[in-house]
Each structure stands twice: as C-alpha cells, then as structure tokens.
Amino acid sequence: MQLTLWTYEGPSHIGAMRVATGMNGLHFVLHAPQGDTYADLLFTMIERRNKRPPVTYTTFQARDLGTDTAEIFKTAARDAYERHQPRAMIVGSSCTAELLQDDPGGLARALALPVPVIPVELSAYSKKENWGASETFYRLVRGLSGAKRERPQRARPLVNLLGPTALGFRHRDDVIEIAKLLNALGVDVNVAAPMGATPDDLTRLGDADFNVVLYPEIALPAAQYLEKAHGQPYTKTVPIGVGATHEFIAEVRKLGNLSDGQALPESNLPWWSRSVDSTYLTGKRVFIFGDGTHVLAAERIAREEIGFEVVGLGTFSREFARDVRARAAAHNLEALITDDYLEVEAAISAAHPELVLGTQMERHIAKRLRLPCAVISAPAHVQDFPARYAPQMGFEGANVIFDSWVHPLMMGLEEHLLGMFREDAEFHEHASHLGASSAPPSAALQPAAPQPDLPAAAAVAPASGDPVWSEEAQKELKKIPFFVRGKARGNTEKYARERGLTMISVGTLYDAKAHFGR
C-alpha cells in the first residue's frame, strides 16, 4: 500500500458531485459511510460557493453494518426528495459503500419517485474523478435528452456548450468568453451544460445544430452520444491560445455554414511575444504538467506563441496519454504519465526548468525548488478561483495566459536582484532613498536568513556517489540568476562526477562554467 499526501484526482464520486453541484434542480444521493462527507469543503471553501453542494449522504456508521443498510439508503433518498423537491436525481455509492453492493439504482427505482432518477455506476476502485464527472454527465444526457427530432432552418445556428463543471479550472469564465465569441460569429447558445443547466435544459439538448466540446475529459462521451443519437456533430478544437482559437473559429464556421466576414476581437499575446521586452522570454525552459486538455494547449502556446523551450511534458489524465506522448516526442522528450507527485517533483528537479506550468501540486513543488510557477490546470486552490474575470479560452483567455505565465518570470528576476543586493547598506541601518531616516528598519528589509538552494532531500543527504557542495560554493551558486541557476548546478555536478570529484568548491563551479561555455 502506498500512502500519499496529495492527489491529482479524487475518487469518482467527487466527479459526480462536480456535475451535480454545477447544475440547478439536480440532487445527488450518495450512499456513503460517515467520514466520506468531506467533499463539501471542496466547493464551499476552495470554489467559494455561497451554498452547500446538492448532495445527501446516507452516512451509515460501523454499527449499521449489521443492519439493513439498503433501508438506510431508501430513507435518505425519500427524505432528500421531500426536502429539496429536485427536478431530477442521481444516485450512486462512494468507494467504501460500493463494497456493500446495495444497488442504489435499483433501490431508488423501487421508491417510484415522481422525478427522473438516474443511477451512476462510479467504479470507484478502478476510476477517478474526471471519469466520474464524464460518466455522470453522459448518463444524464442519455437519460434526459430524449429522442431525435427535426430541427428547423435558422438564420443563426444553435449550439450547446458542453463540459464545464464545478471545481473546473476557470470554467465559469470560459463559458462567458466562448459564448461572446460565438455570438460575434453569428451563433446562438442553446444550453451550456452541465454547469448552469437544469434537468429541463438537458431535455433541450437535441434542439441544437451542433455541440461545442470545451473540456473533452468531461464532455467527449456525451458529445459522441449526441452525435449518434441526435445527429449533432461536435467541435474537436479546444480554443485555448491564439492559434487554437483561430482554428476553433474556422471549425465553427464550417459546421454552421457561416461566412467569414464578421470582424472579431484579437488578442494582444502575439504583439507582446514579439515585443522588445519579451525577447527576455525567448528560449526559456518550461516544464508542463496537468490535465490533458490544458497540457496540450499549454505546449502549443509555449512552443508556437511565446517561444519557450519545452523541457518536460506530462499529464495525470491517462486517457490523453497517447496525445501527450506524441507532443513530447516532437521535443525529443519522454512524456511523464503519472499521478504520483513525487515522480513529478523528481522530473522537474532533473529538467532544471526556468518556469513550471502545472497544478496546485506543481506550485508547491516549484516553491520548494525555488522556481517560478503558474497554475494552468485543476486541481487548484482558492486563489485560482478569482472573483475577477479571468478566462483561459478565446482571445481574452490568451491575454490572461500571457500575463499569468510571464509575471512569475519577471517577479522572479526582481526577487533575484533583491537577494543579490540584500546585504548592501541600502537595505538596512536606517538607509532610505529619500534621505536619512530615524525610523527603525522594517523587518521586511532585514537581511534574510541564508537558505539552501537545493531540494530538501538533497540538502540533508546527497545520493551515494554524488559530489557535495562546499558552503562557499553554495553561496557562489546563489549569485547566479535563478533562471539559469538550475542548469549551472546540474552542469557543475556532471563536471564533478566525470572527474571523480567528491567536493564542489568555488573553483570547481567556475571550471565547469568554462568547460561548458566552450
């Protein structure tokens, strides 16, 4: 058994909650023991929702296992309907309750409630959160979308936006941005689902001319079902980045038989990335990890639109492993397909990137390794659900992406310069740019306590056979700008190993610099 502190995806019933919580008028009855109800915190604290998730737990206890747990479920389902009066219900089991094999779907049908009750088999021991959200949305669409119908000729095509959920990375703002873009193209939105939709809205999905798949992890099975059952094609391009947004527009125009005469807004990203200031970014080494959709989009933006060098690429979404491996091969890299954050940390440390693009996990890793980082994918923390408008999709999303990726690099450079000159008299002893001051020095301007510039594990006990850094060499290493420090450290250690040196001195550091500079 492997114990873990962090996880990229929760169990599949968390995915079902993301669908239910994003919708209105839908209630989820979860057969779960006491202790599996922690998920409320994800929505009320991290996403800062002003109401608790529409989930009723059976919360059976250990002493209930010797009694009729099926009856506990039926009582909870009946009470949930009477209290909340939902338009539809979904029922399922958490990973622990699956072992009881109580069949929530069959038990709910026996209650003969006057609303649609859709069972979801969550396969908690073999599947995870995104799959749970995808399966739940697919079952809802299949159960509520109805039969195929004739669609009238319209002056403006009608589409569904599929895939946004609660706890999704900027899903709320992406829906707004893409709806505005579609309106500018002459396309109307029929239903956006699951987030913001009601069960009644799902019965109208078949009225649309085609579907826009925003997040394939969530919406692809539902879109494939709607294509087969209702004859609705769906978009294949996710509009994250300038190039992808242009391709998305061309795809929408083709599906909707639209002319290309409409004037559309543009992004500032191409101009910024060609500007004099941004030459500083060219060739910066970047490590990318996250869910499949955002990783593939980030790789393209980094490579084509900003000019970064991709030195690491990976995902925890195994369903996207083939696509991510193909992109990694174009960079002569081996893709990292894992849900173990320790493997990700080791890969980041070995790649010596200058910027990390990842999830909340990679933000923590980057802090430990003293690397700039920008979050591009869930799982995310409260700071990645901003009150302001901050989409990732469309032309405005490209502006947001440029800012969020570039600012960590620029601020990192500023912090490096502050660190270099922190010991100068300007930073203490009552010095001031405005003249002498009698005020006591601010604690923030006091010299910082020296911190090792190595990962914690390396600082405590170097691997057997690896050279050890002298205290003077470590101090000298800190004088190297942060954005090349990792590469300098790696080259110096390689130089020392090749020559059988057990201790790295200041001289070794500069000998290695001269060697690799030739």
Side-chain angles (χ1 to χ4, degrees), residues 292-313:
T293 292
H294 289 90
V295 160
L296 293 171
E299 182 275 337
R300 177 174 178 176
I301 295 168
R303 169 173 46 88
E304 295 183 359
E305 299 176 18
I306 300 183
F308 288 154
E309 178 188 355
V310 177
V311 296
L313 192 68

Side-chain angles (χ1 to χ4, degrees), residues 231-420:
Q232 296 170 322
Y234 61 91
T235 59
K236 311 299 192 297
T237 305
V238 178
I240 301 179
V242 176
T245 300
H246 280 296
E247 290 179 10
F248 171 78
I249 289 170
E251 192 174 4
V252 167
R253 282 173 170 159
K254 182 177 180 180
L255 290 173
N257 295 315
L258 298 168
S259 65
D260 56 359
Q262 299 95 334
L264 298 173
E266 276 291 348
S267 170
N268 287 319
L269 186 152
W271 177 83
W272 278 326
S273 64
R274 292 193 301 267
S275 68
V276 173
D277 289 344
S278 288
T279 57
Y280 163 75
L281 304 174
T282 304
K284 286 288 177 285
R285 297 164 56 83
V286 61
F287 191 103
I288 305 171
F289 191 88
D291 68 37
T293 292
H294 289 90
V295 160
L296 293 171
E299 182 275 337
R300 177 174 178 176
I301 295 168
R303 169 173 46 88
E304 295 183 359
E305 299 176 18
I306 300 183
F308 288 154
E309 178 188 355
V310 177
V311 296
L313 192 68
T315 182
F316 58 83
S317 302
R318 295 186 180 275
E319 298 85 354
F320 285 74
R322 179 175 297 179
D323 294 336
V324 174
R325 285 191 177 104
R327 294 284 187 92
H331 299 277
N332 295 318
L333 299 171
E334 182 177 350
L336 181 64
I337 312 298
T338 183
D339 57 3
D340 185 341
Y341 71 92
L342 294 175
E343 289 184 27
V344 179
E345 180 168 5
I348 292 173
S349 182
H352 303 302
E354 296 154 65
L355 175 67
V356 177
L357 303 176
T359 73
Q360 177 67 16
M361 312 290 203
E362 283 65 51
R363 175 185 276 146
H364 292 312
I365 291 168
K367 281 182 180 178
R368 284 207 299 279
L369 298 179
R370 288 185 160 190
L371 294 171
C373 178
V375 174
I376 63 165
S377 160
H381 200 25
V382 61
Q383 66 204 85
D384 298 304
F385 293 92
R388 71 185 187 281
Y389 182 60
Q392 296 289 285
M393 292 187 175
F395 295 122
E396 182 60 27
N399 293 339
V400 172
I401 286 171
F402 184 88
D403 285 343
S404 61
W405 293 14
V406 170
H407 288 173
L409 286 170
M410 303 305 290
M411 293 305 296
L413 178 61
E414 179 180 293
E415 289 170 7
H416 168 70
L417 293 174
L418 288 172
M420 282 183 65

Side-chain angles (χ1 to χ4, degrees), residues 150-217:
E150 292 296 324
R151 292 186 287 272
Q153 292 291 328
R154 301 182 178 94
R156 291 168 61 96
L158 195 64
V159 304
N160 299 315
L161 303 183
L162 304 181
T165 68
L167 281 183
F169 188 70
R170 310 291 171 82
H171 287 194
R172 174 200 64 191
D173 296 345
D174 285 347
V175 169
I176 296 171
E177 184 65 21
I178 297 305
K180 289 195 298 186
L181 178 60
L182 290 170
N183 182 62
L185 288 169
V187 177
D188 293 326
V189 175
N190 177 42
V191 174
M195 190 166 70
T198 67
D200 292 335
D201 289 334
L202 298 189
T203 66
R204 299 188 293 108
L205 288 172
D207 296 339
D209 297 304
F210 61 94
N211 293 307
V212 171
V213 174
L214 297 181
Y215 310 100
E217 290 96 340

Side-chain angles (χ1 to χ4, degrees), residues 76-106:
R78 190 184 301 111
D79 291 347
Y81 172 75
E82 292 174 356
R83 178 181 179 186
H84 299 285
Q85 295 291 302
R87 299 293 298 162
M89 295 172 63
I90 55 176
V91 296
S93 297
S94 73
C95 45
T96 310
E98 269 191 7
L99 300 174
L100 300 179
Q101 298 183 339
D102 278 337
D103 185 19

Side-chain angles (χ1 to χ4, degrees), residues 8-20:
Y8 288 97
E9 293 184 89
S12 53
H13 69 265
I14 300 296
M17 285 184 190
R18 289 175 56 190
V19 171

